Amino acid sequence: MSSALADPEKVSPAAETLPAAGNSSPPSTYSASDEKGRTSEVERIEGAGAGGGAAGTQETPLYNAHIDVSEVDERKLIRKIDLYLVPWLSFLYLLSFLDRTSIGNAKLYHMTTDLHLTDQQYLIALTIFFFSYSIFEVPSNIFLKRLRPSIWLSLLMFLWGIMMSKSSHFVKTVQGLVHNYGGLLGMRWMLGMFEAGLFPGVNYYLSCWYKRSEFGIRAALFFSAATVSGAFGGLLAAAISHMEGVGGKPAWAWIFIIEGLVTVIAGVASFWIIQDFPDTAKFLTEAERTVVVRRLQSDDQYSAAGENLRWHYIWRSLLDWKTWVGMLLYMGADGPLYAFSLFLPSIINQLGYTATPANLLTVPVYALACVVTCVVGFVADRHGCRGLLAMICLTVGMVGYIILIVSRNPTLSYIAVYLAACGIYPTIPNIIAWMSNNVEGSYKRSVTIAMVIGFGNLNGAVSSNVYRARDAPWYTLGHGIVLMYICIGLIMSVIYWLSLRRENARRERGERDEIIKGVNEHQTELARNGTYASVADAKRDKGDEWSGYRYTL
């Protein structure tokens, strides 16, 4: 047997069973025939019998078949969703990244001297954040699915805002009130715990709204907030440095206080701004919700209409080889990301620039990384070549760090920093989109994304310790370890790509086809792949393991 999917952009007969039901109004701009066609042999057999008999009753039922969607303009609907979701979520991640990396800027304004920190104590303070951040990511994503995003994500923001602040006669951020090493450690642990759910949660949440060919650019736009925070953080730190001595506090404390106040306000506002999942979103009409769910289902996201929690789905994620390869692949990009973002000001500072110029010189680096991140996301969505782009970006990052290792010229090293940024930053959202594209089942996808991101973030505990003060100004050891991470990422991206390609080929040959009762029961050799009453049952139970599902390369 072979699948109908020769070209992922061609339309399958199965997809054509999803037109709007209802009346004779002018046709909507929404049409399921715009979706990718992915059909298995048994689906085509079913389609042939759709004119009568049992086989025709086995097709995936049309979501909200009684709803007329003829008046829905799909392009306007997607723009509406973009405006409601992406800007605010990106702003929240900007705040998150500012809060976690501002310690790098604060270090330039004598934080370690004022708190009497040794180099080792400073590195431990950076490290402890990643342990709590990684531990709580998987349970947070499960809670996000069980609760409404407007509640869970807002609660996380509010709690880390509360952690960073306390009420007296006026609000002050706890991080800005830290007076010793123990207080700094406690603050960093709590910060990691409350921020754990935002990045994996939002990426999973966005994957529940967009088709696989649309998710990459949204993930890139969302993640670009990290690059903007790098640029903005440097500018903000430079500006706040002029508050040295105000209220009897040093400049580094004011960096934490002002950024923390904004987080508190954003946490409160998020409850009213963050939207829920497509099937219940209040800012959409019922017809618009119907169109969103139908689009997702025709793009192989069969769980878009809702899915009940079953441990079966979670175990499938834990036992899936893609989860573990994805963890190592993401580690190869995320470890370098944190090393880069935490130590870029110090690296530039050691090249001969003082604190404020060093912070300002980080701005164009992050600005370029932001542009490249968005371009890579757009190209990956348009051409579906996420694996190839991951390999290219990691190679660019590798070149940048090789130059940093061998260079002893400040200007050349500064140029290499641009290459490193353009290799690391675009890779993060591209990998997340790649992982998300290849996992179906809302609970399975939530756990997989959290595990991949959590393991990557755990390696931030390693990468935050590789730039030692005694290795300044060239940090050869630190750059070498980051280069090792990038090499691991590149190797795993090749393994992941080849494995997905081989699995797609097996499905094309019919080796993964299931037995569907009343359709192909005579093919007993397929019993190892499962026996189901209908294709719809196979899709719901097997998710991305269903024979008609094709992995994104």
Side-chain angles (χ1 to χ4, degrees), residues 93-102 226 229 337-338 341 425:
Y93 189 55
L94 184 150
L95 294 179
S96 171
F97 217 78
L98 276 177
D99 290 341
R100 79 180 70 163
T101 59
S102 57
S229 75
L337 171 72
Y338 284 112
S341 61
Y425 277 87

Side-chain angles (χ1 to χ4, degrees), residues 519-542:
V519 178
N520 62 340
E521 289 178 285
H522 62 284
Q523 295 179 290
T524 56
E525 72 276 7
L526 299 177
R528 66 183 182 277
N529 299 327
T531 301
Y532 297 90
S534 69
V535 169
D537 288 343
K539 290 179 178 179
R540 279 191 295 268
D541 182 64
K542 298 188 73 174

Side-chain angles (χ1 to χ4, degrees), residues 226-535:
T227 61
V228 172
S229 75
F232 181 67
L235 290 172
L236 184 63
I240 295 176
S241 66
H242 297 292
M243 297 183 66
E244 174 73 37
V246 174
K249 297 188 177 300
W252 64 264
W254 281 111
I255 292 174
F256 295 138
I257 291 172
I258 292 176
E259 292 176 5
L261 284 172
V262 177
T263 303
V264 171
I265 296 170
V268 174
S270 293
F271 180 77
W272 289 277
I273 297 176
I274 294 178
Q275 307 299 320
D276 293 318
F277 291 111
D279 56 325
T280 60
K282 295 180 180 179
F283 77 101
L284 298 178
T285 66
E286 189 170 16
E288 290 172 333
R289 289 195 292 268
T290 299
V291 168
V292 173
V293 173
R294 290 183 188 176
R295 292 175 79 250
L296 295 174
Q297 288 184 327
S298 61
D299 190 45
D300 286 351
Q301 297 190 44
Y302 326 116
S303 58
E307 182 179 70
N308 295 323
L309 175 61
R310 291 172 55 193
W311 285 105
H312 165 72
Y313 299 138
I314 296 175
W315 280 113
R316 281 240 164 125
S317 173
L318 296 176
L319 298 175
D320 192 341
W321 66 269
K322 299 192 304 298
T323 302
W324 300 95
V325 173
M327 289 164 63
L328 293 173
L329 170 55
Y330 189 74
M331 175 191 79
D334 209 33
L337 171 72
Y338 284 112
F340 187 87
S341 61
L342 288 169
F343 288 94
L344 179 60
S346 295
I347 292 171
I348 296 177
N349 176 242
Q350 292 300 326
L351 295 179
Y353 299 95
T354 57
T356 296
N359 272 323
L360 293 176
L361 282 171
T362 66
V363 174
V365 177
Y366 286 117
L368 179 61
C370 179
V371 173
V372 175
T373 297
C374 294
V375 169
V376 169
F378 176 80
V379 173
D381 278 355
R382 180 62 61 91
H383 299 287
C385 51
R386 302 198 191 282
L388 178 61
L389 287 169
M391 297 174 208
I392 292 173
C393 289
L394 287 168
T395 301
V396 171
M398 183 185 302
V399 171
Y401 274 96
I402 290 174
I403 294 174
L404 283 171
I405 290 172
V406 302
S407 171
R408 292 299 178 266
N409 181 282
T411 302
L412 180 60
S413 296
Y414 184 61
I415 293 173
V417 164
Y418 283 88
L419 290 175
C422 292
I424 294 170
Y425 277 87
T427 306
I428 298 294
N430 186 49
I431 290 176
I432 292 172
W434 199 14
M435 297 297 119
S436 176
N437 283 179
N438 292 320
V439 179
E440 167 48 20
S442 56
Y443 277 105
K444 181 181 179 182
R445 188 164 61 249
S446 72
V447 173
T448 298
I449 290 176
M451 287 183 65
V452 167
I453 296 176
F455 186 73
N457 287 328
L458 184 61
N459 283 272
V462 177
S463 61
S464 61
N465 283 276
V466 300
Y467 286 100
R468 304 173 302 179
R470 63 177 178 270
D471 295 328
W474 303 111
Y475 296 109
T476 302
L477 175 63
H479 295 329
I481 293 175
V482 171
L483 179 61
M484 178 196 69
Y485 269 103
I486 295 175
C487 289
I488 292 173
L490 182 59
I491 293 170
M492 299 313 298
S493 65
V494 173
I495 292 174
Y496 191 66
W497 187 87
L498 290 174
S499 300
L500 294 177
R501 185 184 180 188
R502 183 180 302 121
E503 180 59 26
N504 280 349
R506 288 172 177 168
R507 296 182 184 189
E508 292 286 351
R509 294 192 297 266
E511 296 176 14
R512 303 301 194 199
D513 282 359
E514 302 82 7
I515 291 179
I516 305 298
K517 294 180 180 178
V519 178
N520 62 340
E521 289 178 285
H522 62 284
Q523 295 179 290
T524 56
E525 72 276 7
L526 299 177
R528 66 183 182 277
N529 299 327
T531 301
Y532 297 90
S534 69
V535 169

Side-chain angles (χ1 to χ4, degrees), residues 36-51:
K36 294 181 179 180
R38 292 180 173 86
T39 56
S40 64
E41 179 72 18
V42 290
E43 274 196 307
R44 293 202 300 280
I45 295 174
E46 283 191 328

